[in-house]
């Protein structure tokens, strides 16, 4: 079965960011396909490269980044939500005239149409939020 | 490919959090994909479409007029849960007059708001293929 996953909450503040990660792992372990993972609202913060939790805690963003590399996942961050919250990749930072960027490897920035396309193309769309 | 049934479920008040505003942004984008789109308003989400919203005191954009434009994008099924209204002391008179123009009926103006009770809402949700909840 083909899944699209939507994540609407940021890391640490809400369980849903962890639950989504665990759900994606379970989906893949059972041999299903993940068409796309779409990050919206504060969920865009799951793509930040600048999180430094205490050493004995999980680093959620890195776990996403690694899961993406291992499984060639399409992790998409909504551009409008990301711009509001100060999250940007290299190209977007340049375009906005910033010297630095803060998106971790494995994510890409795109528009809300990618979410709708995910809904159309997938057998199931699962939302993780508050 | 046949259009899919998309439902956007609005559960939060229009201000206080950004969920309602960002939900509306998704709804507007979805209109470009020619899908069968409907909206549900439950819990505090019913406040999103109340009349006479005024945000002067909180320094935020009043985006309530955007709901009036949904009909122009052929988004004309706005299911509002009766119990959620009642629990908040609201009636349909407190809601904006949201309409759409039916091109198959000489552009007659028709109401977009469909009042349903909780069990009817469950039935409508069960028919959906993609449900996004905000």
């Amino acid at each position: 079965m083909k899944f699209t996953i939507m994540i609407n909450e940021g890391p640490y503040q809400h369980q849903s960011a962890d639950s989504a990660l665990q759900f994606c792992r379970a989906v893949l372990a059972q041999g299903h396909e993940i068409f796309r993972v779409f990050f919206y609202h504060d969920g865009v913060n799951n793509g930040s490269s600048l999180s430094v939790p205490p050493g004995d805690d999980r680093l959620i963003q890195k776990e996403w980044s690694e899961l993406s590399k291992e499984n060639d996942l399409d992790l998409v961050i909504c551009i409008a939500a990301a711009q509001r919250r100060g999250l940007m990749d290299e190209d977007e930072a340049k375009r906005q005239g910033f010297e630095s960027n803060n998106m971790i490897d494995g994510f890409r920035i795109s528009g809300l149409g990618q979410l709708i396309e995910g809904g159309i193309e997938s057998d199931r769309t699962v939302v993780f939020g508050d | 490919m046949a259009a899919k049934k998309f439902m956007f479920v609005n559960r939060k008040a229009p201000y206080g959090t950004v969920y309602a505003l960002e939900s509306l942004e998704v709804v507007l984008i979805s209109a470009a994909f020619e899908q069968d789109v409907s909206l549900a308003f439950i819990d505090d989400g019913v406040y999103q479409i109340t009349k006479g919203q005024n945000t002067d005191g909180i320094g935020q954009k009043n985006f309530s007029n955007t709901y009036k434009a949904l009909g122009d994008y052929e988004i004309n099924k706005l299911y509002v849960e009766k119990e959620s209204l009642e629990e908040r002391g609201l009636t349909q008179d407190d809601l904006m007059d949201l309409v759409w123009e039916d091109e198959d009926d000489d552009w007659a103006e028709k109401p977009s708001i469909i009042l349903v009770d909780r069990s009817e809402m469950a039935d409508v949700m069960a028919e959906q293929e993609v449900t996004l909840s905000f």
Side-chain angles (χ1 to χ4, degrees), chain A residues 21-124:
Chain A
L21 188 58
Q22 290 152 8
F23 183 80
C24 285
R25 288 197 181 112
V27 162
L28 294 167
Q30 293 198 13
H32 299 295
E33 179 189 343
I34 295 179
F35 178 78
R36 180 166 294 149
V37 185
F38 192 86
F39 296 84
Y40 198 48
H41 299 307
D42 278 354
V44 300
N45 292 314
N46 286 287
S48 169
S49 61
L50 296 178
S51 275
V52 187
D56 59 351
D57 201 353
R58 71 232 186 273
L59 180 43
I60 299 175
Q61 291 95 332
K62 192 158 166 261
E63 292 192 25
W64 275 118
S65 184
E66 285 169 359
L67 191 70
S68 166
K69 275 178 216 157
E70 288 158 14
N71 299 280
D72 198 23
L73 290 187
D74 189 20
L75 307 184
V76 178
I77 286 186
C78 169
I79 185 160
Q83 284 175 333
R84 280 198 179 101
R85 293 164 177 84
L87 195 96
M88 49 193 77
D89 62 8
E90 200 177 340
D91 288 347
E92 180 61 13
K94 269 189 199 146
R95 204 167 71 84
Q96 300 288 349
F98 291 104
E99 286 178 6
S100 56
N101 57 76
N102 59 342
M103 187 169 297
I104 199 165
D105 285 348
F107 288 77
R108 67 183 178 95
I109 280 193
S110 191
L112 281 166
Q114 301 268 303
L115 170 66
I116 306 300
E117 187 197 34
I120 294 169
E121 295 294 330
S122 302
D123 302 302
R124 293 285 185 277

Side-chain angles (χ1 to χ4, degrees), chain A residues 9 40-41 84 119 122 130, chain B residues 4 11 18-19 22 25 134:
Chain A
E9 297 295 344
Y40 198 48
H41 299 307
R84 280 198 179 101
S122 302
D130 193 23
Chain B
K4 272 194 172 179
R11 300 172 293 135
V18 79
Y19 295 106
E22 289 192 329
E25 289 177 357
F134 296 92

